Each structure stands twice: as structure tokens, then as C-alpha cells.
Amino acid sequence: MTTVSGLDAEDGDDGTATLRDLWREFVGLVAPPRATTRTPGEIARYAVDRGLPAAPIHALTEAYRDAEYGRFAPDADRLSRAREALRAVREAVRGEG
């Protein structure tokens, strides 16, 4: 199984678990109330409304939706963009103090 700290999808994983890990970390950073009953879009809106950067949040949300709902395979490019998006969100959260 791929871990968030590794953020790699090269252990025979199709990338879905990695995107799930990235998404879980994002949700943990944002900490929306009732996260388990919210849609990805609602969680993204909550994060943007909280003042976090919209572009990386939307990129991560779309990558997660694509993987979870089967629109597109989580290829290396999508995983890379999702990692970068999460990195930007992490930096913004740290900057909030």
C-alpha cells in the first residue's frame, strides 16, 4: 500500500490509493465539519471559503473525482499535479499561523 509520506504509485498500485491518500491528507488539513457526509465539491468550497488557494484545491478535487468516479486513470501526470496541489495547500495552511 502506498503511504502519504512516499507519495509514489510505483508499487503495482494503479494510483487510486495514492490519490485517496492525498485527498485524505487534504481533508485533514482543511478539517471541515461533518467531512464524512460532504461531497468533494463541498469540501473544496469549504477550503476556498476559508481562504485557501482555489486553483490547487480545484486541481486536487478534480484529480480525486476522476480517480474515484472512473473518468480518467490516475496516471503519473495527474498524480504529480495532485501532489503539487496538496503541497500548495499545505504551505497555505502553514502560512495561516
Side-chain angles (χ1 to χ4, degrees):
M1 178 168 179
T2 305
T3 62
V4 174
S5 60
L7 297 179
D8 286 324
E10 296 178 5
D11 298 19
D13 181 33
D14 66 358
T16 304
T18 300
L19 279 170
R20 286 180 187 145
D21 290 339
L22 294 171
W23 182 255
R24 277 192 288 262
E25 183 178 346
F26 167 69
V27 172
L29 286 170
V30 174
R34 300 175 318 278
T36 58
T37 61
R38 293 184 179 232
T39 67
E42 289 170 333
I43 292 170
R45 277 188 297 281
Y46 176 85
V48 171
D49 289 348
R50 189 174 159 210
L52 295 173
I57 288 169
H58 293 303
L60 182 57
T61 302
E62 286 307 305
Y64 175 73
R65 283 177 173 157
D66 290 346
E68 283 299 301
Y69 307 128
R71 284 191 247 168
F72 300 101
D75 61 16
D77 187 49
R78 276 188 179 66
L79 289 169
S80 177
R81 287 193 312 262
R83 285 185 203 110
E84 286 300 315
L86 181 58
R87 187 171 297 123
V89 173
R90 268 194 229 112
E91 290 170 4
V93 168
R94 287 182 195 135
E96 288 180 355

